[in-house]
Amino acid sequence: MKRRTFIREIVLLSAAPLLWLPRKSKAQPGWSPVSLSLLNPRASGSVPSPVLKWLASAGVKNSSDVAPANNDSLNSWTDQIAGVVASWESARPKYNTGIQNGLGGITFPSTSRFVQASLGMTLTTGTAFCVFKKDSSSGTYQFCFDSESASGRWIIARDNSSPSTKLLCSAGGTNLISSSTLSNSTAYIAGAVFNGASSSAWLNGTSVASGNPGSDALSSIQIGSQNNGTLQWSGYIMEIRFYSTPLGTSDIGSVFTELNSTYAVY
């Protein structure tokens, strides 16, 4: 009888290796109930989900309102989380295939850009990421994104006034300028934590600036140019995403790892 009982308990253990609760009548010293968060650490410690995410590989429609082919002019770009549609204005952005790690990107010739006057939400603090490839150092600034109006601005751009080209992040106040430079024909992953005096700028997984870039709240977006439709991005944008909270260092690192696994930037 004892031999059969021993065998039965071993089978139960192998069938459910993550959780073995001894019988109350035979409780062993040191045993205590096990929480689900211990069995699955990411259940309570995972990175929050983004609230907005524009992907050049999804949600893009050409002038015929269908998925684009190479070099097609575009009508709109829909984010993959909340369904926010940014539509072309003044001139149409273009889609090109095979820009980075086999994935497509969007370029902004002439006065082209995507605009959405209302995101359907207001981000008072948060974190933004942009995956881009820079092709030119001409002009003083080039914008990955800005707000649709002159107020409520969150910005990721490149600053060529240093004089070398650097990453610029702002929320309506003093610009955060990266300590490292940006090279032409090179892809980057940029990040910005917008959180008042605790803000920071990131490039390819490394913090490159910190300070107070302002405290504007974002409720609209203009992709590919400054809010007035000028200073177009020269190169390609592959992805833009926003989180509604200022991410900590560990979470920022996790997002960079995820994005780099997709785009093979660094």
Side-chain angles (χ1 to χ4, degrees):
M1 175 65 72
K2 289 183 179 180
R3 180 179 180 83
R4 287 196 296 272
T5 301
F6 175 78
I7 293 173
R8 182 166 61 251
E9 290 183 353
I10 292 296
V11 170
L12 289 173
L13 177 61
S14 64
L18 290 178
L19 183 61
W20 181 31
L21 300 178
R23 300 170 183 169
K24 290 182 179 180
S25 61
K26 295 184 179 181
Q28 301 297 316
W31 282 86
S32 60
V34 181
S35 71
L36 291 177
S37 63
L38 291 178
L39 293 175
N40 180 13
R42 295 195 64 80
S44 60
S46 58
V47 179
S49 297
V51 293
L52 296 163
K53 182 165 66 175
W54 281 273
L55 299 170
S57 58
V60 182
K61 296 293 182 65
N62 65 11
S63 56
S64 298
D65 214 29
V66 297
N70 186 50
N71 208 38
D72 273 1
S73 297
L74 301 174
N75 262 359
S76 62
W77 195 4
T78 302
D79 105 270
Q80 300 300 293
I81 305 296
V84 175
V85 180
S87 301
W88 73 279
E89 188 168 293
S90 181
R92 296 178 189 271
K94 287 182 175 291
Y95 174 82
N96 289 108
T97 58
I99 299 304
Q100 183 66 26
N101 202 31
L103 298 172
I106 297 172
T107 187
F108 299 86
S110 183
T111 58
S112 64
R113 68 261 195 192
F114 287 117
V115 178
Q116 175 50 258
S118 175
L119 295 174
M121 63 185 75
T122 298
L123 302 178
T124 55
T125 61
T127 310
F129 292 87
C130 184
V131 184
F132 60 78
K133 179 174 280 189
K134 188 180 84 69
D135 277 356
S136 169
S137 298
S138 62
T140 305
Y141 301 102
Q142 294 175 0
F143 281 68
C144 284
F145 65 80
D146 193 356
S147 70
E148 181 268 341
S149 67
S151 60
R153 302 178 72 183
W154 284 13
I155 297 167
I156 287 183
R158 75 108 175 109
D159 176 12
N160 196 42
S161 63
S162 300
S164 56
T165 303
K166 297 184 177 182
L167 177 69
L168 180 153
C169 301
S170 180
T174 302
N175 296 333
L176 296 183
I177 307 294
S178 68
S179 54
S180 54
T181 60
L182 304 176
S183 300
N184 289 338
S185 303
T186 303
Y188 294 93
I189 304 171
V193 178
F194 296 107
N195 189 27
S198 299
S199 300
S200 55
W202 296 72
L203 196 62
N204 290 354
T206 301
S207 177
V208 293
S210 61
N212 191 345
S215 56
D216 277 8
L218 185 74
S219 60
S220 64
I221 195 163
Q222 188 141 221
I223 300 174
S225 79
Q226 189 180 23
N227 61 59
N228 62 5
T230 64
L231 302 176
Q232 266 67 21
W233 182 257
S234 178
Y236 298 92
I237 295 176
M238 284 77 82
E239 180 171 336
I240 296 172
R241 64 169 67 179
F242 293 93
Y243 294 81
S244 60
T245 58
L247 298 183
T249 300
S250 178
D251 286 345
I252 290 170
S254 295
V255 175
F256 271 109
T257 297
E258 176 202 343
L259 290 171
N260 194 49
S261 68
T262 300
Y263 296 100
V265 170
Y266 59 94

